[in-house]
Each structure stands twice: as structure tokens, then as C-alpha cells.
Amino acid sequence: MNHSRVEKSIFWPSLLLVVAVTLVLVIYRESAGPIVENMMTELTFRMDWAFEFLTIGLFVILVWLMTGRYGRVKLGSVEEQPEFSRFSWGGMLFCASMGTSIMFWSIVEPLYYYTGPPFGIEGGSTEAAEYAVSYGLFHWGISAWALYALPAVVMAYSFFVRKNSSLKISAACEGVLGKHADGLLGKAIDVLVIWSMIGGLGTSLGLGVPMVAAVLGDLFGIEPSLWLNVVIIVIWTFIFSSSAYLGLYKGIRKLSDWNVYMALGLALFVIIVGPTLFILSYFTNSLGLMLDDFMKMSLYTDPISQGGFPQAWTVFYWAWFAATAPFIGIFVARISKGRTIRELVSNVLLWGSLGSWIYFGVFGGYAMDLELTEKINLTHILMNESEPAVIVAVLNSLPVPMIASIFFVILGFIFLATSLDSASYVIASVATKELQANAEPARWHRLLWGILLSALAISLTFVGGLNVVQTSSVLVSVPILIMYVLMAVSLIKWLQQDEHLHVHVKKGSK
């Protein structure tokens, strides 16, 4: 494969920005922490309406793309076939997007909703229990995946139809920005995207490392410590660096396939050994409640009572997903050659949502059963100990807890590795001058970003600055709001300009 040259005007500023901002946040973490937290609170309360309108607006645009005449437009030339099977393709797009976050939040999040529910419902009540899993299904469902799907469509159209030789968000905004996409403004957009990616991955590490450390500590009877965290990060580095080094076809695809098999296997195990009928019935009820209240949840800002629920959860999630969406969009675009727009949108929305719903339905349902039947007081553990302690308690309640915990740890390693190898691949792609349709960024380039991500994680773990970097990356979602508008307008403009090509594609696709 052809390995293209590094785009120095993106590579060096990105590298320097990551190192400089991290150093500042680490050195001044005592004062930076509260400032960044206050900025985050201001963002979620002042911009709640903007993020909610953006998310529902994207969903409307995607439905239009999927059902309208542009749905049949092929991402590539007429004769091109998809590079990956539907299973491998779906596995890669899900695993790159979710990471360990879905393993963590599917168990912990419903307990938070049970004790602090929305809509003025009393905490710990029957109604609160009914909403506990349904709100998780909403936050990790169609709306979240709509934030990922639009950048993916625009990037794929830019790369495979417009034959733009770079996998950059600036290239996806070219329809509006014109020549400025290659200038200073375009470079600034790409550097910003790399920072948001790194911060988003910091969030995955911030959740994943303590979770795996707690389960490992319980398995081997050792106290979770700083050094255990570092050992976990080093093992992760080895797994995802190997995968990123092998590339998209030999490494990332195979790791994602194993990931999906293991994730489904663990979910199936919990359904079989757990309260099967309760899990299935509770999931059905929660899904119905979520679909019935979809618009209410989508535009809920609580301006009168000002309880803060939508800002702390919904708006924060939309900002977090928006911050990481350019990275997911670029990766999903890269693996979607030969698909139609309809295929791409429907698969991202439906398969992504289905994967998230299975995990919330199974693990959220199981955790809530333990809580409601008083087998384990999980909310007490959550409030008085920690979130990883809740996960350990849930795993220990399963039959053969040692095997379940070992399986959970292995899955945790692979889940985050699939996110990190995709990330180092994408960051290297963004910082590469030109990429042809089948080319990959240079191996040393992919490895460099992988090692840098790990070094960053280890140094932040030592000084306790991971939370500040996580939060600062979410603040990047404000300019990304504008990027979404630019990308949507660019795509519509391109589709209209290329009308003659679409006629040809329609004829060829019959």
C-alpha cells in the first residue's frame, strides 16, 4: 500500500498543542480543575437548547437522506463493492465508537437515574425504576448515533465521490469554506479535531482503567493502585499498537470481530444465568417508554424547576459525543467504500443503537433487578464507595464470578484497544498530506500517535489530571457545533451540484 507524506502544518501544531495544554492543565491542575468545571457547567446550562436542537436536527436530516432520492447514491464508483463484510463493518463502527464506556455506564447509569430521576419524579420510586433503563436507551440510542452518522456521510462523500485526497474534517467543510478549507482556517479545524479526539479518548481511559483495575484487584486480592493502572495502560498500549501497526485490514478489523463475539457472548451469558424474564420484560417496557417520550426527552431543558438533570446528563452527553464525532466520522467513512448513503446512515443509526440497547437492556436490567429485589444494595455502594465497586459487586453476584470477571477484564482490554487503534489510525490520517482510496497512513505515524496517547494517559494518571483533560475536550464541542452546520450545508450543496452523477449511479445500481 502507498504510504503518504505527513502534513507538517497539522502534525506539529497538533503535537505541540497536546503537549502544551496537557502540561498547563497538569502544572496548574489545582486551579485549572475548578475553572474548567465551571466552564463546563456554564456550557451545559447556556447551550442546552443549541445542543438539543442540533441533535434532533441532525436526526431529521439523516432521515431525509435515508428516505429521499439521495439515499441510493453510492460512496465510490458504480462498480465498487464494499471492502468489508456487513458483520466486520458493523463491528468496527460500533467498537470504535463505544469503547469501554458502554460496559461502564450500562451498569452504573440506571442506578443514577433511579436515585436522581428526571421530570420531578421522586427518587427510588416505582416510576423512577421504570425510567432508569429507558433514559439510558435514549442517551446511547438513535440521537447519539445521529451525531456520529452525519460526519461519516459527509467524509465518505468527500473522499470517495468527490475524490478529495485527504481524510480531514476541513475537507468535509469545503463545500462552504471553498479555498479557505486548505488555508489557515482549515488547519485550525483539523488541529481542533485532533485535540477533541485525544480528550475524548482520555474519557474512555478515565472510565476504563479504574474499572479494569477494580475487577483485577478483586480477582487477585490486591488493592487497586497507581502502578496497577500503569500496568493496565502498558498492556493496552501493546494490544492496540500491534493492531494499529498491522493496519485496517489485518489488525483493526480482526480485533473488532473478536470484540463483537465476546461482547455478545457476555450479554447472552447474563441473560441466561440472570433473571431472564425480568430482563426481557423490563427492556421491552423501557424501550416502549423511551420511544413514547422520545421528543420530550430530546427537547427537555427543565427551565422552571431547574433541577439540572438534562444539563448534567443529556446536554453533557451530546457535547461529549459531538466532541468525539469527527474522529468516529472519519473512521466510519474510511471503512464505508462501496456502500450507499442509505446503507451507511441506516446501519450507523440502527446497528449502533441496537448494540447500545442490548448492553443497557441486559446489564442495566440485571443491576436494577439486584437493587429492586434487595439482593445487593447497589445504590448504597455507588454513593458510599465508587462506581468501579458497583461493577465488581454486579460481577460477583453472577454464577462462577471468577470466570465472569476474567472474561469481563479481557473484553474491557479489547473494547478500549479497538477505540484506541482506530483513534491512532484516524489522527495519523488527519495529519497525512494525501491518502488515496486504498492507502493507509505510514506505520511509524500510526505507532507514534498510539505511543503518545499512552504516554499522555500514564503521565495524567500519575498526577491525577485525567478529569481536567476530559472536561476540557468536551468544551471543544462548542466550535464543533458550527462544524456540523458547515458539514451539513456542504453535503447538501455537493449533492445538488453532482445531480448528473447521481442519475448515473441510479442507472448503474439497478
Side-chain angles (χ1 to χ4, degrees), residues 215-464:
V215 179
L216 277 175
D218 182 66
L219 271 171
F220 295 106
I222 54 175
E223 280 293 311
S225 65
L226 203 59
W227 287 106
L228 181 59
N229 289 353
V230 172
V231 169
I232 289 166
I233 293 168
V234 169
I235 296 170
W236 252 319
T237 306
F238 177 74
I239 297 170
F240 84 76
S241 295
S242 306
S243 176
Y245 182 80
L246 289 168
L248 197 56
Y249 303 90
K250 293 178 182 174
I252 297 172
R253 180 184 66 183
K254 287 183 179 175
L255 198 60
S256 295
D257 285 353
W258 297 340
N259 194 344
V260 173
Y261 288 129
M262 290 185 73
L264 289 174
L266 187 61
L268 194 62
F269 173 73
V270 174
I271 290 175
I272 292 167
V273 303
T276 311
L277 291 177
F278 175 78
I279 288 172
L280 295 173
S281 178
Y282 190 33
F283 170 70
T284 306
N285 188 71
S286 299
L287 186 64
L289 199 60
M290 186 274 290
L291 292 173
D292 193 39
D293 283 347
F294 181 75
M295 288 307 296
K296 182 180 178 181
M297 290 172 167
S298 295
L299 300 172
Y300 175 50
T301 58
D302 196 17
I304 311 302
S305 301
Q306 294 187 353
F309 180 93
Q311 289 79 13
W313 290 103
T314 308
V315 181
F316 175 81
Y317 268 141
W318 292 174
W320 177 28
F321 293 146
T324 53
F327 141 56
I328 306 298
I330 292 168
F331 183 73
V332 173
R334 176 62 189 83
I335 62 174
S336 298
K337 184 172 75 171
R339 306 279 173 189
T340 62
I341 287 179
R342 181 174 295 130
E343 261 187 300
L344 176 54
V345 174
S346 60
N347 278 271
V348 171
L349 291 183
L350 299 176
W351 287 115
S353 300
L354 187 63
S356 303
W357 289 345
I358 288 171
Y359 255 63
F360 264 87
V362 174
F363 291 95
Y366 181 67
M368 284 301 295
D369 178 71
L370 293 175
E371 174 69 26
L372 295 171
T373 56
E374 298 180 355
K375 289 174 188 167
I376 305 175
N377 191 342
L378 292 177
T379 50
H380 177 80
I381 297 170
L382 182 64
M383 300 307 166
N384 294 287
E385 292 181 50
S386 66
E387 293 157 335
V390 170
I391 291 165
V392 170
V394 168
L395 290 172
N396 284 337
S397 71
L398 291 164
V400 287
M402 182 181 279
I403 294 171
S405 296
I406 290 168
F407 199 86
F408 188 86
V409 166
I410 295 168
L411 181 60
F413 272 115
I414 294 176
F415 236 131
L416 190 56
T418 50
S419 292
L420 291 170
D421 63 11
S422 311
S424 54
Y425 185 93
V426 168
I427 295 172
S429 299
V430 172
T432 296
K433 203 175 269 291
E434 285 187 354
L435 276 177
Q436 300 310 314
N438 291 321
E440 295 191 290
R443 276 179 170 166
W444 71 264
H445 197 182
R446 303 197 300 258
L447 273 178
L448 174 76
W449 284 108
I451 291 161
L452 183 72
L453 289 170
S454 304
L456 190 67
I458 291 170
S459 60
L460 290 171
T461 302
F462 269 117
V463 297

